[in-house]
Amino acid sequence: MADEVLRVEGLHKHYGPLHVLRGIDLTVRRGEAVVILGASGSGKSTLLRCLNFLEMPGAGRIHLEGRLVGREARDGRIRYPNRELSALRMRVGMVFQQFNLFPHMTAERNVMIGPMKLRGLSEAEARRVAAANLEKVGILEKARSYPAQLSGGQQQRVAIARALAMEPSMMLFDEVTSALDPELVGEVLLAMRQLREDGMTMLIVTHELGFAYNVADRVVFMEHGVIHEEGTPQQVLLNPQRPRTRDFLRSHTLFRLPEQMHDDPPGPFALTTREQG
Amino acid sequence: MAYEWDFAAVFRHSDLLLEGAANTFRLAGSALLIALPLGLAVAMLRLARIPVLSWLLAITTDIFRTAPSIVLIYWFFFAFPILAGVDFAGHTAVTLALGLQTGAYMAEVFRGGIISVDRGQWQAATALGMGSATRMRTIILPQAVRRMIPIFFTRITELYKATSLAAAISYAEIVQMANRAASETFRPMETFTIVALFFFTTIFCVSRLVRAIERRVAVPE
Amino acid sequence: MHEWDFAFLIDQRHFILQGLLGTLRLAVVSLVAGTVIGLVGATARLSGSAILRAVGTGYVEFFRNIPVLVQIFWLYFSIPILTGVQPNAYAAAAIATSLYAGAYLTEVFRSGIASIEKGQWDGARAVGFGHGMTMRYVVLPQAFRRVLPAFTNQVLEIVKTTSVASTIAYAELLYSAKLLSEQEFRPIEAYTAVGAAFILVLLPTSAIAGMMERRLARHG
Ligand SMILES: Nc1ncnc2c1ncn2[C@@H]1O[C@H](COP(=O)(O)OP(=O)(O)OP(=O)(O)O)[C@@H](O)[C@H]1O
Ligand SMILES: [Mg+2]
């Protein structure tokens, strides 16, 4: 299908004897935001890292924008030439839990370096691209700061801008708010929702259930390296069918504020209030 | 023309090399006998932060660490006995030079290991109600020692290699004995190949042993 | 009580200057050669090829575990046997100290590069950089700053090591002192002066390296 950005078929991944991904099938359409939930160790990060080839996947196929990634050899296994992977990574942006900004470059340089060295932009063009993307995540005024001079939330937004500057056809987010102080989580989630509204295709691993409920088109629950349950946010988060999904959601909502406290004013990502989008 | 190696000639003089090896070990051992207690004492005194003394010790250890070992050996062999009005053999001079220098290095190893333990550990131990001695023995030292192992043995290796410099004042350690053997056999290349292998093998084996120990006492960090 | 008298050092200043130049020449040559060897060695030790890694490791283990004096003697006696040319103290000393320094610098560079967090590689590869570009734009600039204190310390060690060349009568500072002390019967002054010279030059440099190291530990 033409509007499929990503199609994963039967993806497996081993770490030595550890079978981490046991046959993942997943499709992401253009402009869709898919949230992946799952317990620690269920293989969420591994899946995302395989999709960007930071880890080499085992068996299975990955199609990006309708084309198979890698070349199929005679024995049916897929080879991934380095040159192709570098080009692919430019089309798939990734944002990490630990930001992974380059500490020896200013925020602006962090965003500029990829477009300059890989897309062949001139210094001036790259600076314009950087400004546009830093603006988009609301942090243009920090362009000249070094990562160490920024708060976690600001660093993470620079990291998002760095990925955006490569003009990827989709973005991967791996628990991008998990390393942040609670009061900084909101600014990053807001930037991500803005992206969603601009039509970016996104695959998001997060523990922020409110965000998943409000922003995702689809929620996927992973367990032991397979997709255990999948559906709309309402289905998976409010009416989970499988016991493991229910346990997971219960443990994530053990301690909540009483409902009325959400009423005034309504929190942007409260689980109980679906905003109009 | 290809050179014909002949190790047999060297082995006929193996008694010289064996005596040299024994002296090398003796030298390293006696220098360590000075270095370890000295290093520990200096480290403790510096950690005690006694105003003038700490500063003096810092300067002195720095001086011993920056002077080349061979210069120290010459100084303790040619200059020190006259200055101090004593008379001693090469063995004592080298032991003093290398012992004091290694002591200075060891002081830094011990001190560095102890101050590398996170301040939170000191506070947590104190909060549990431990006195300073208990805290040192049960909380700080076990962590410090573990961290010190690699650099501690690096220093011992460097000392062991430095004993070869005693040859410069004709002390009969293995290099000097090799010199003597070479001039009798006219086989310097073979002789020094053997000496090189002697050092390489001993250090290599000990370093494997140390690595095994490290793994035994390692805790996940 | 010994009567100190350093006057002869001034009379013999040309002689001492020559020794100083000898030390400098040997130090600079082994520093430059050692740095080149160290960069190549570190690249080998971090390469994807198991053979290159083994060669790099073997080189480091071998040259670090043999006293530099033994290496100097070995070369001094072997060069004439193997090549047929006259024994040459400078060549033997320069080759030995370069290889020795190269082994230590390999480790300095390797650990500097290895100290860059895995996240930096992830970040760079996610942007689309391959191995070479990641090294060039992300890893090496950071590793360079981190390596500077250890590198400086290693430079000091190289300078100290040159004094070992006196044992094969290479005319560096210690050897000049040795000749002078025999000629003037003033071992105390001669050896105290060499020691002081080394300490006065090296101690401030090592203090600066220490300061860099502490700053790095604080600010990362
Ligand atoms: N490089 C690796 N080598 C070996 N095992 C690994 C590696 N990376 C991950 N694993 C293992 O694979 C399993 C899945 O890890 P993964 O990081 O994908 O989990 P996750 O779902 O992202 O968990 P979390 O919520 O804690 O981030 C875990 O058991 C983990 O220990
Ligand atoms: Mg994870």
Side-chain angles (χ1 to χ4, degrees):
Chain A
M1 260 176 67
D3 71 341
E4 269 180 19
V5 176
L6 177 75
R7 185 148 51 90
V8 181
E9 294 169 350
L11 190 70
H12 286 260
K13 172 72 185 172
H14 291 262
Y15 284 118
L18 198 64
H19 197 169
V20 181
L21 299 181
R22 306 158 175 255
I24 300 274
D25 295 296
L26 179 72
T27 307
V28 182
R29 280 183 292 278
R30 194 169 300 286
E32 206 182 18
V34 177
V35 163
I36 302 178
L37 301 175
S40 181
S42 57
K44 307 178 300 286
S45 295
T46 306
L47 173 59
L48 254 54
R49 293 173 65 82
C50 282
L51 295 182
N52 206 9
F53 294 88
L54 293 178
E55 305 288 346
M56 281 303 144
R61 294 148 177 274
I62 297 169
H63 299 263
L64 192 68
E65 300 186 293
R67 280 188 38 213
L68 177 71
V69 179
R71 280 199 197 89
E72 190 156 0
R74 265 163 214 264
D75 57 4
R77 296 179 54 129
I78 304 204
R79 305 256 178 284
Y80 299 103
N82 270 332
R83 185 176 291 276
E84 187 178 343
L85 295 187
S86 195
L88 173 134
R89 291 194 191 108
M90 292 165 62
R91 287 189 290 140
V92 180
M94 182 154 182
V95 186
F96 304 87
Q97 182 173 344
Q98 296 302 339
F99 326 139
N100 296 344
L101 288 181
F102 308 135
H104 58 303
M105 301 178 190
T106 60
E108 184 180 45
R109 277 273 148 191
N110 262 279
V111 183
M112 288 167 68
I113 185 91
M116 274 166 59
K117 302 302 172 192
L118 293 167
R119 289 173 53 204
L121 267 58
S122 71
E123 175 114 15
E125 289 167 327
R127 182 159 286 132
R128 268 197 300 281
V129 168
N133 285 296
L134 288 169
E135 172 99 76
K136 203 177 280 181
V137 292
I139 198 167
L140 184 55
E141 78 278 6
K142 295 289 182 185
R144 296 295 162 84
S145 303
Y146 283 89
Q149 301 167 320
L150 301 175
S151 75
Q154 292 170 332
Q155 288 189 55
Q156 194 58 293
R157 284 185 284 151
V158 174
I160 293 174
R162 180 175 72 180
L164 284 176
M166 297 306 290
E167 301 188 350
S169 27
M170 77 175 296
M171 296 263 285
L172 309 172
F173 294 85
D174 189 4
E175 296 199 30
V176 295
T177 57
S178 296
L180 299 179
D181 291 339
E183 76 269 22
L184 303 177
V185 168
E187 63 189 57
V188 173
L189 293 183
L190 270 172
M192 287 165 69
R193 188 175 63 175
Q194 186 59 47
L195 273 186
R196 161 90 192 78
E197 280 162 15
D198 294 348
M200 176 55 76
T201 310
M202 308 203 282
L203 187 55
I204 304 160
V205 172
T206 184
H207 290 296
E208 300 288 336
L209 299 183
F211 176 81
Y213 186 84
N214 283 286
V215 178
D217 296 290
R218 211 144 37 90
V219 172
V220 166
F221 179 74
M222 270 181 77
E223 171 79 7
H224 292 312
V226 294
I227 292 180
H228 192 66
E229 184 162 357
E230 181 175 4
T232 65
Q234 288 89 336
Q235 288 168 345
V236 177
L237 295 173
L238 300 183
N239 272 313
Q241 298 304 303
R242 317 275 301 256
R244 278 299 302 135
T245 318
R246 256 180 251 144
D247 288 347
F248 174 83
L249 289 172
R250 194 172 309 128
S251 68
H252 272 71
T253 49
L254 266 182
F255 298 103
R256 284 192 319 182
L257 293 172
E259 298 297 324
Q260 60 267 30
M261 291 192 67
H262 282 307
D263 293 349
D264 185 31
F269 305 118
L271 186 52
T272 47
T273 53
R274 171 75 169 165
E275 288 198 344
Q276 318 303 100
Chain B
M1 192 195 77
Y3 178 76
E4 281 197 22
W5 293 78
D6 178 14
F7 283 99
V10 184
F11 286 120
R12 278 195 293 280
H13 290 77
S14 59
D15 52 331
L16 284 178
L17 293 183
L18 284 176
E19 193 191 331
N23 282 336
T24 292
F25 289 136
R26 234 159 47 95
L27 208 49
S30 48
L32 262 186
L33 235 43
I34 294 183
L36 291 183
L38 180 70
L40 205 58
V42 171
M44 289 302 161
L45 284 173
R46 282 198 64 189
L47 284 170
R49 295 180 181 281
I50 304 162
V52 180
L53 184 68
S54 289
W55 183 81
L56 277 176
L57 285 174
I59 295 278
T60 318
T61 44
D62 278 354
I63 286 176
F64 272 97
R65 290 192 312 157
T66 26
S69 312
I70 188 168
V71 174
L72 285 179
I73 289 175
Y74 274 127
W75 197 86
F76 275 94
F77 187 67
F78 290 114
F80 183 75
I82 310 177
L83 275 176
V86 291
D87 187 20
F88 50 57
H91 180 82
T92 315
V94 182
T95 303
L96 270 178
L98 297 183
L100 292 175
Q101 183 171 53
T102 307
Y105 277 116
M106 285 297 181
E108 284 307 286
V109 172
F110 296 143
R111 200 177 71 94
I114 288 172
I115 58 179
S116 80
V117 177
D118 188 47
R119 275 193 33 211
Q121 295 293 312
W122 295 75
Q123 291 165 0
T126 315
L128 283 175
M130 290 183 182
S132 65
T134 319
R135 185 178 60 191
M136 195 47 127
R137 210 183 56 241
T138 61
I139 306 295
I140 307 301
L141 279 184
Q143 299 185 53
V145 166
R146 236 175 241 129
R147 243 171 261 182
M148 277 170 346
I149 291 175
I151 172 82
F152 179 80
F153 279 98
T154 304
R155 279 340 314 181
I156 292 186
T157 308
E158 293 297 326
L159 164 65
Y160 178 58
K161 289 194 296 178
T163 58
S164 65
L165 299 174
I169 56 156
S170 302
Y171 174 72
E173 51 66 70
I174 191 164
V175 178
Q176 179 61 24
M177 293 310 242
N179 260 332
R180 229 183 275 171
S183 60
E184 284 179 28
T185 57
F186 300 106
R187 288 281 169 189
M189 203 156 83
E190 287 85 344
T191 316
F192 282 104
T193 301
I194 287 179
V195 174
L197 288 178
F198 163 77
F199 277 103
F200 178 78
T201 333
T202 43
I203 296 177
F204 188 79
C205 293
V206 172
S207 73
R208 286 300 116 127
L209 195 71
V210 171
R211 235 176 264 179
I213 295 173
E214 250 180 277
R215 239 176 279 128
R216 282 284 298 271
V217 302
V219 286
E221 283 200 49
Chain C
M1 202 49 207
H2 176 73
E3 297 244 343
W4 293 81
D5 179 7
F6 287 101
F8 72 98
L9 293 177
I10 299 174
D11 301 336
Q12 300 280 2
R13 59 187 174 277
H14 292 298
F15 192 67
I16 294 168
L17 196 69
Q18 260 186 350
L20 203 59
L21 284 178
T23 295
L24 210 62
R25 180 166 72 142
L26 193 54
V28 168
V29 165
S30 16
L31 174 62
V32 172
T35 302
V36 173
I37 298 174
L39 288 172
V40 174
T43 311
R45 289 210 60 184
L46 292 166
S47 86
S49 145
I51 297 174
L52 280 182
R53 279 205 305 274
V55 170
T57 311
Y59 163 68
V60 169
E61 292 276 343
F62 191 78
F63 284 91
R64 285 204 313 181
N65 289 351
I66 296 170
V68 71
L69 177 70
V70 176
Q71 298 183 36
I72 289 179
F73 276 9
W74 193 95
L75 278 168
Y76 185 68
F77 290 118
S78 304
I79 288 176
I81 297 174
L82 294 174
T83 65
V85 299
Q86 279 302 301
N88 177 339
Y90 173 64
I95 296 173
T97 48
S98 297
L99 287 170
Y100 193 70
Y104 279 88
L105 286 173
T106 296
E107 276 311 275
V108 168
F109 296 143
R110 185 199 61 79
S111 59
I113 292 170
S115 78
I116 303 301
E117 302 77 17
K118 190 169 158 288
Q120 290 294 307
W121 288 88
D122 282 354
R125 284 196 294 168
V127 169
F129 287 152
H131 184 90
M133 281 185 151
T134 304
M135 270 289 181
R136 177 152 164 222
Y137 298 118
V138 178
V139 175
L140 288 183
Q142 295 182 62
F144 177 77
R145 288 185 34 219
R146 263 185 227 190
V147 144
L148 217 49
F151 180 77
T152 314
N153 281 327
Q154 212 51 60
V155 172
L156 302 183
E157 289 302 321
I158 294 171
V159 175
K160 284 156 74 173
T161 303
T162 57
S163 57
V164 178
S166 63
T167 53
I168 50 168
Y170 171 69
E172 46 69 71
L173 205 51
L174 181 58
Y175 190 69
S176 309
K178 195 171 160 183
L179 292 187
L180 269 187
S181 92
E182 281 161 14
Q183 184 186 317
E184 309 272 339
F185 302 106
R186 289 225 159 258
I188 299 181
E189 285 82 354
Y191 292 121
T192 306
V194 208
F198 273 104
I199 291 165
L200 286 179
V201 175
L202 300 185
L203 198 54
T205 321
S206 117
I208 292 170
M211 256 153 55
M212 284 196 294
E213 214 166 338
R214 276 190 294 279
R215 247 190 56 188
L216 208 66
R218 268 203 308 276
H219 304 297

